[in-house]
Structures are given as structure tokens and as C-alpha cells.
Tab-separated table of all heavy atoms in Angstrom:
chain	number	residue	atom	x	y	z
A	19	ASP	N	11.759	-10.799	-10.933
A	19	ASP	CA	11.887	-11.254	-12.319
A	19	ASP	C	10.739	-12.146	-12.766
A	19	ASP	O	10.711	-12.616	-13.904
A	19	ASP	CB	13.235	-11.937	-12.587
A	19	ASP	CG	13.652	-12.905	-11.508
A	19	ASP	OD1	12.836	-13.188	-10.612
A	19	ASP	OD2	14.799	-13.371	-11.562
A	20	ALA	N	9.764	-12.385	-11.871
A	20	ALA	CA	8.580	-13.151	-12.252
A	20	ALA	C	7.411	-12.764	-11.355
A	20	ALA	O	7.609	-12.290	-10.229
A	20	ALA	CB	8.843	-14.652	-12.144
A	21	ILE	N	6.197	-12.969	-11.862
A	21	ILE	CA	4.973	-12.699	-11.098
A	21	ILE	C	4.109	-13.944	-11.111
A	21	ILE	O	3.827	-14.496	-12.179
A	21	ILE	CB	4.181	-11.513	-11.687
A	21	ILE	CG1	4.951	-10.204	-11.489
A	21	ILE	CG2	2.789	-11.408	-11.049
A	21	ILE	CD1	4.274	-8.983	-12.102
A	22	HIS	N	3.691	-14.394	-9.922
A	22	HIS	CA	2.732	-15.507	-9.822
A	22	HIS	C	1.381	-14.907	-9.448
A	22	HIS	O	1.257	-14.253	-8.411
A	22	HIS	CB	3.164	-16.521	-8.770
A	22	HIS	CG	2.448	-17.841	-8.887
A	22	HIS	ND1	1.058	-17.942	-8.930
A	22	HIS	CD2	2.913	-19.114	-8.998
A	22	HIS	CE1	0.723	-19.217	-9.058
A	22	HIS	NE2	1.816	-19.947	-9.106
A	23	PRO	N	0.325	-15.141	-10.264
A	23	PRO	CA	-0.969	-14.507	-10.006
A	23	PRO	C	-1.899	-15.285	-9.078
A	23	PRO	O	-2.976	-14.795	-8.738
A	23	PRO	CB	-1.588	-14.435	-11.400
A	23	PRO	CG	-1.090	-15.694	-12.056
A	23	PRO	CD	0.303	-15.907	-11.525
A	24	GLY	N	-1.520	-16.525	-8.666
A	24	GLY	CA	-2.412	-17.314	-7.808
A	24	GLY	C	-3.681	-17.712	-8.538
A	24	GLY	O	-3.635	-18.123	-9.694
A	25	PHE	N	-4.830	-17.592	-7.853
A	25	PHE	CA	-6.117	-17.823	-8.521
A	25	PHE	C	-7.044	-16.654	-8.213
A	25	PHE	O	-6.861	-15.932	-7.236
A	25	PHE	CB	-6.750	-19.159	-8.123
A	25	PHE	CG	-6.751	-19.484	-6.655
A	25	PHE	CD1	-7.539	-18.774	-5.767
A	25	PHE	CD2	-5.973	-20.514	-6.155
A	25	PHE	CE1	-7.552	-19.077	-4.413
A	25	PHE	CE2	-5.966	-20.827	-4.801
A	25	PHE	CZ	-6.767	-20.102	-3.928
A	26	GLY	N	-8.070	-16.455	-9.048
A	26	GLY	CA	-8.921	-15.280	-8.904
A	26	GLY	C	-8.174	-14.031	-9.341
A	26	GLY	O	-7.106	-14.104	-9.965
A	27	PHE	N	-8.739	-12.874	-9.048
A	27	PHE	CA	-8.140	-11.586	-9.402
A	27	PHE	C	-7.645	-11.579	-10.860
A	27	PHE	O	-8.437	-11.743	-11.772
A	27	PHE	CB	-7.039	-11.195	-8.420
A	27	PHE	CG	-7.543	-10.904	-7.029
A	27	PHE	CD1	-6.949	-11.485	-5.918
A	27	PHE	CD2	-8.634	-10.082	-6.816
A	27	PHE	CE1	-7.413	-11.228	-4.631
A	27	PHE	CE2	-9.117	-9.814	-5.539
A	27	PHE	CZ	-8.493	-10.395	-4.445
A	28	LEU	N	-6.322	-11.432	-11.090
A	28	LEU	CA	-5.798	-11.287	-12.450
A	28	LEU	C	-5.212	-12.578	-13.011
A	28	LEU	O	-4.532	-12.563	-14.032
A	28	LEU	CB	-4.723	-10.188	-12.466
A	28	LEU	CG	-5.212	-8.774	-12.134
A	28	LEU	CD1	-4.042	-7.833	-11.932
A	28	LEU	CD2	-6.137	-8.251	-13.232
A	29	SER	N	-5.509	-13.702	-12.370
A	29	SER	CA	-4.856	-14.958	-12.746
A	29	SER	C	-5.193	-15.423	-14.163
A	29	SER	O	-4.400	-16.137	-14.778
A	29	SER	CB	-5.218	-16.061	-11.749
A	29	SER	OG	-6.616	-16.308	-11.746
A	30	GLU	N	-6.369	-15.056	-14.691
A	30	GLU	CA	-6.738	-15.452	-16.046
A	30	GLU	C	-6.984	-14.240	-16.933
A	30	GLU	O	-7.736	-14.298	-17.894
A	30	GLU	CB	-7.968	-16.360	-16.009
A	30	GLU	CG	-7.679	-17.715	-15.381
A	30	GLU	CD	-8.879	-18.644	-15.382
A	30	GLU	OE1	-9.785	-18.450	-14.561
A	30	GLU	OE2	-8.892	-19.586	-16.196
A	31	ASN	N	-6.301	-13.148	-16.606
A	31	ASN	CA	-6.436	-11.912	-17.366
A	31	ASN	C	-5.324	-11.836	-18.398
A	31	ASN	O	-4.166	-11.580	-18.061
A	31	ASN	CB	-6.401	-10.709	-16.416
A	31	ASN	CG	-6.734	-9.409	-17.093
A	31	ASN	OD1	-6.067	-9.001	-18.033
A	31	ASN	ND2	-7.780	-8.748	-16.622
A	32	ALA	N	-5.665	-12.090	-19.647
A	32	ALA	CA	-4.660	-12.143	-20.714
A	32	ALA	C	-3.953	-10.803	-20.898
A	32	ALA	O	-2.749	-10.765	-21.178
A	32	ALA	CB	-5.319	-12.577	-22.022
A	33	ASP	N	-4.693	-9.707	-20.736
A	33	ASP	CA	-4.074	-8.381	-20.888
A	33	ASP	C	-2.991	-8.168	-19.837
A	33	ASP	O	-1.930	-7.606	-20.117
A	33	ASP	CB	-5.132	-7.279	-20.767
A	33	ASP	CG	-6.112	-7.272	-21.924
A	33	ASP	OD1	-5.781	-7.868	-22.968
A	33	ASP	OD2	-7.197	-6.691	-21.785
A	34	PHE	N	-3.257	-8.626	-18.615
A	34	PHE	CA	-2.263	-8.501	-17.545
A	34	PHE	C	-1.024	-9.345	-17.860
A	34	PHE	O	0.111	-8.869	-17.744
A	34	PHE	CB	-2.869	-8.930	-16.208
A	34	PHE	CG	-1.898	-8.892	-15.054
A	34	PHE	CD1	-1.325	-7.693	-14.649
A	34	PHE	CD2	-1.550	-10.057	-14.382
A	34	PHE	CE1	-0.425	-7.655	-13.601
A	34	PHE	CE2	-0.667	-10.034	-13.317
A	34	PHE	CZ	-0.098	-8.820	-12.915
A	35	ALA	N	-1.227	-10.583	-18.289
A	35	ALA	CA	-0.096	-11.458	-18.632
A	35	ALA	C	0.761	-10.825	-19.726
A	35	ALA	O	1.996	-10.876	-19.689
A	35	ALA	CB	-0.618	-12.821	-19.086
A	36	GLU	N	0.099	-10.199	-20.679
A	36	GLU	CA	0.795	-9.533	-21.786
A	36	GLU	C	1.596	-8.333	-21.283
A	36	GLU	O	2.753	-8.126	-21.679
A	36	GLU	CB	-0.241	-9.067	-22.814
A	36	GLU	CG	0.225	-9.164	-24.246
A	36	GLU	CD	-0.953	-9.060	-25.208
A	36	GLU	OE1	-1.766	-8.119	-25.056
A	36	GLU	OE2	-1.074	-9.940	-26.088
A	37	MET	N	0.983	-7.544	-20.396
A	37	MET	CA	1.669	-6.385	-19.811
A	37	MET	C	2.904	-6.807	-19.028
A	37	MET	O	3.967	-6.176	-19.107
A	37	MET	CB	0.718	-5.618	-18.881
A	37	MET	CG	-0.328	-4.787	-19.582
A	37	MET	SD	-1.520	-4.066	-18.399
A	37	MET	CE	-0.454	-2.891	-17.541
A	38	VAL	N	2.770	-7.886	-18.262
A	38	VAL	CA	3.884	-8.401	-17.465
A	38	VAL	C	5.061	-8.747	-18.370
A	38	VAL	O	6.193	-8.326	-18.138
A	38	VAL	CB	3.439	-9.643	-16.649
A	38	VAL	CG1	4.643	-10.348	-16.020
A	38	VAL	CG2	2.447	-9.249	-15.569
A	39	GLU	N	4.786	-9.520	-19.426
A	39	GLU	CA	5.849	-9.942	-20.341
A	39	GLU	C	6.463	-8.759	-21.084
A	39	GLU	O	7.677	-8.736	-21.338
A	39	GLU	CB	5.293	-10.968	-21.346
A	39	GLU	CG	4.811	-12.271	-20.725
A	39	GLU	CD	5.942	-13.163	-20.231
A	39	GLU	OE1	7.105	-12.938	-20.611
A	39	GLU	OE2	5.650	-14.105	-19.460
A	40	ARG	N	5.632	-7.758	-21.415
A	40	ARG	CA	6.129	-6.559	-22.122
A	40	ARG	C	7.142	-5.780	-21.289
A	40	ARG	O	8.001	-5.095	-21.834
A	40	ARG	CB	4.955	-5.639	-22.476
A	40	ARG	CG	4.563	-5.712	-23.929
A	40	ARG	CD	3.775	-4.519	-24.441
A	40	ARG	NE	2.880	-3.889	-23.504
A	40	ARG	CZ	1.589	-4.143	-23.415
A	40	ARG	NH1	1.037	-5.069	-24.188
A	40	ARG	NH2	0.828	-3.502	-22.547
A	41	HIS	N	7.014	-5.902	-19.966
A	41	HIS	CA	7.936	-5.189	-19.076
A	41	HIS	C	9.151	-6.042	-18.707
A	41	HIS	O	9.890	-5.719	-17.772
A	41	HIS	CB	7.197	-4.741	-17.813
A	41	HIS	CG	6.328	-3.539	-18.035
A	41	HIS	ND1	5.061	-3.621	-18.555
A	41	HIS	CD2	6.571	-2.210	-17.821
A	41	HIS	CE1	4.544	-2.401	-18.637
A	41	HIS	NE2	5.425	-1.535	-18.203
A	42	GLY	N	9.348	-7.135	-19.423
A	42	GLY	CA	10.535	-7.957	-19.203
A	42	GLY	C	10.449	-8.842	-17.971
A	42	GLY	O	11.471	-9.305	-17.464
A	43	ILE	N	9.224	-9.080	-17.496
A	43	ILE	CA	9.002	-9.927	-16.316
A	43	ILE	C	8.280	-11.189	-16.785
A	43	ILE	O	7.425	-11.132	-17.667
A	43	ILE	CB	8.147	-9.184	-15.266
A	43	ILE	CG1	8.805	-7.848	-14.896
A	43	ILE	CG2	7.941	-10.027	-14.011
A	43	ILE	CD1	7.875	-6.884	-14.178
A	44	THR	N	8.603	-12.323	-16.189
A	44	THR	CA	7.957	-13.577	-16.577
A	44	THR	C	6.636	-13.757	-15.842
A	44	THR	O	6.577	-13.591	-14.624
A	44	THR	CB	8.876	-14.784	-16.269
A	44	THR	OG1	10.103	-14.635	-16.991
A	44	THR	CG2	8.206	-16.096	-16.680
A	45	PHE	N	5.605	-14.094	-16.588
A	45	PHE	CA	4.302	-14.408	-16.002
A	45	PHE	C	4.260	-15.911	-15.744
A	45	PHE	O	4.460	-16.710	-16.658
A	45	PHE	CB	3.178	-14.005	-16.965
A	45	PHE	CG	1.793	-14.270	-16.434
A	45	PHE	CD1	1.185	-13.371	-15.570
A	45	PHE	CD2	1.105	-15.425	-16.801
A	45	PHE	CE1	-0.100	-13.613	-15.084
A	45	PHE	CE2	-0.177	-15.670	-16.314
A	45	PHE	CZ	-0.774	-14.767	-15.449
A	46	ILE	N	4.027	-16.311	-14.496
A	46	ILE	CA	4.009	-17.731	-14.146
A	46	ILE	C	2.611	-18.289	-14.448
A	46	ILE	O	1.689	-18.207	-13.634
A	46	ILE	CB	4.419	-17.959	-12.678
A	46	ILE	CG1	5.838	-17.433	-12.462
A	46	ILE	CG2	4.336	-19.450	-12.312
A	46	ILE	CD1	6.322	-17.479	-11.032
A	47	GLY	N	2.490	-18.822	-15.638
A	47	GLY	CA	1.207	-19.311	-16.140
A	47	GLY	C	1.314	-19.495	-17.639
A	47	GLY	O	2.401	-19.384	-18.214
A	48	PRO	N	0.211	-19.775	-18.309
A	48	PRO	CA	0.233	-19.910	-19.766
A	48	PRO	C	0.444	-18.559	-20.440
A	48	PRO	O	0.457	-17.512	-19.773
A	48	PRO	CB	-1.155	-20.471	-20.076
A	48	PRO	CG	-2.009	-19.970	-18.968
A	48	PRO	CD	-1.135	-19.945	-17.748
A	49	THR	N	0.584	-18.572	-21.755
A	49	THR	CA	0.746	-17.318	-22.482
A	49	THR	C	-0.590	-16.594	-22.575
A	49	THR	O	-1.658	-17.192	-22.402
A	49	THR	CB	1.256	-17.584	-23.912
A	49	THR	OG1	0.241	-18.304	-24.631
A	49	THR	CG2	2.549	-18.380	-23.908
A	50	ALA	N	-0.533	-15.303	-22.870
A	50	ALA	CA	-1.747	-14.504	-23.035
A	50	ALA	C	-2.606	-15.075	-24.163
A	50	ALA	O	-3.837	-15.131	-24.059
A	50	ALA	CB	-1.378	-13.051	-23.322
A	51	GLU	N	-1.959	-15.531	-25.218
A	51	GLU	CA	-2.684	-16.104	-26.364
A	51	GLU	C	-3.447	-17.369	-25.943
A	51	GLU	O	-4.612	-17.565	-26.316
A	51	GLU	CB	-1.690	-16.442	-27.479
A	51	GLU	CG	-2.342	-16.958	-28.749
A	51	GLU	CD	-1.326	-17.380	-29.808
A	51	GLU	OE1	-0.110	-17.265	-29.551
A	51	GLU	OE2	-1.767	-17.853	-30.871
A	52	GLN	N	-2.793	-18.218	-25.143
A	52	GLN	CA	-3.444	-19.440	-24.675
A	52	GLN	C	-4.610	-19.126	-23.745
A	52	GLN	O	-5.640	-19.791	-23.765
A	52	GLN	CB	-2.417	-20.331	-23.969
A	52	GLN	CG	-1.400	-20.940	-24.919
A	52	GLN	CD	-0.198	-21.534	-24.204
A	52	GLN	OE1	0.000	-21.330	-23.004
A	52	GLN	NE2	0.625	-22.268	-24.938
A	53	MET	N	-4.430	-18.097	-22.918
A	53	MET	CA	-5.514	-17.670	-22.025
A	53	MET	C	-6.725	-17.209	-22.815
A	53	MET	O	-7.861	-17.530	-22.460
A	53	MET	CB	-5.038	-16.516	-21.131
A	53	MET	CG	-4.444	-16.950	-19.830
A	53	MET	SD	-4.293	-15.517	-18.774
A	53	MET	CE	-2.734	-15.879	-18.056
A	54	ARG	N	-6.477	-16.424	-23.843
A	54	ARG	CA	-7.593	-15.921	-24.660
A	54	ARG	C	-8.281	-17.078	-25.376
A	54	ARG	O	-9.507	-17.104	-25.494
A	54	ARG	CB	-7.086	-14.888	-25.667
A	54	ARG	CG	-6.673	-13.571	-25.028
A	54	ARG	CD	-6.468	-12.469	-26.037
A	54	ARG	NE	-6.072	-11.234	-25.368
A	54	ARG	CZ	-4.828	-10.774	-25.307
A	54	ARG	NH1	-3.851	-11.459	-25.896
A	54	ARG	NH2	-4.554	-9.669	-24.663
A	55	LEU	N	-7.492	-18.015	-25.861
A	55	LEU	CA	-8.026	-19.154	-26.593
A	55	LEU	C	-8.961	-19.990	-25.712
A	55	LEU	O	-10.065	-20.342	-26.122
A	55	LEU	CB	-6.877	-20.030	-27.096
A	55	LEU	CG	-7.243	-21.192	-28.019
A	55	LEU	CD1	-7.733	-20.676	-29.371
A	55	LEU	CD2	-6.050	-22.120	-28.203
A	56	MET	N	-8.512	-20.286	-24.489
A	56	MET	CA	-9.283	-21.169	-23.614
A	56	MET	C	-10.158	-20.411	-22.621
A	56	MET	O	-11.002	-21.009	-21.951
A	56	MET	CB	-8.341	-22.111	-22.850
A	56	MET	CG	-7.469	-22.971	-23.748
A	56	MET	SD	-8.356	-23.867	-25.052
A	56	MET	CE	-9.226	-25.099	-24.094
A	57	GLY	N	-9.969	-19.104	-22.507
A	57	GLY	CA	-10.740	-18.306	-21.552
A	57	GLY	C	-12.157	-18.012	-22.017
A	57	GLY	O	-13.064	-17.838	-21.203
A	58	ASP	N	-12.349	-17.954	-23.318
A	58	ASP	CA	-13.692	-17.769	-23.870
A	58	ASP	C	-14.311	-19.154	-24.032
A	58	ASP	O	-13.786	-20.005	-24.760
A	58	ASP	CB	-13.622	-17.056	-25.225
A	58	ASP	CG	-14.998	-16.851	-25.832
A	58	ASP	OD1	-15.476	-17.791	-26.522
A	58	ASP	OD2	-15.592	-15.787	-25.625
A	59	LYS	N	-15.427	-19.393	-23.357
A	59	LYS	CA	-15.978	-20.746	-23.289
A	59	LYS	C	-16.420	-21.284	-24.659
A	59	LYS	O	-16.305	-22.475	-24.932
A	59	LYS	CB	-17.140	-20.799	-22.299
A	59	LYS	CG	-16.699	-20.592	-20.852
A	59	LYS	CD	-17.848	-20.799	-19.892
A	59	LYS	CE	-17.426	-20.631	-18.459
A	59	LYS	NZ	-17.101	-19.249	-18.108
């Protein structure tokens, strides 16, 4: 019922976080929107 991405790999991939939530699973981290906001320097 939840996915923890750790660090590296998909941990800061907003598209992945969005896909996870779309499938009814909780992404353990910030929202995809927050990732996009702070992910672009």
C-alpha cells in the first residue's frame, strides 16, 4: 500500500510519484508537484 524510493534512482522522479499515486499506492515522499517545483534548480 506504499512505496519508499530511498535515494537515487526514482526518488526524485515526479512522473514516478504521480504514477504510484494514480495506482492507489502511497508514495513515501513529497508530492509530484512539490518535486517538480523544487527539482528544477
Side-chain angles (χ1 to χ4, degrees):
D19 44 9
I21 292 177
H22 196 307
F25 46 69
F27 293 131
L28 296 170
S29 62
E30 292 182 284
N31 188 301
D33 292 342
F34 177 63
E36 216 164 50
M37 285 174 68
V38 169
E39 296 288 345
R40 257 200 326 264
H41 283 83
I43 304 164
T44 301
F45 181 82
I46 300 175
T49 65
E51 184 184 0
Q52 290 166 349
M53 269 193 220
R54 289 193 180 101
L55 187 69
M56 302 309 289
D58 180 274
K59 292 186 179 70

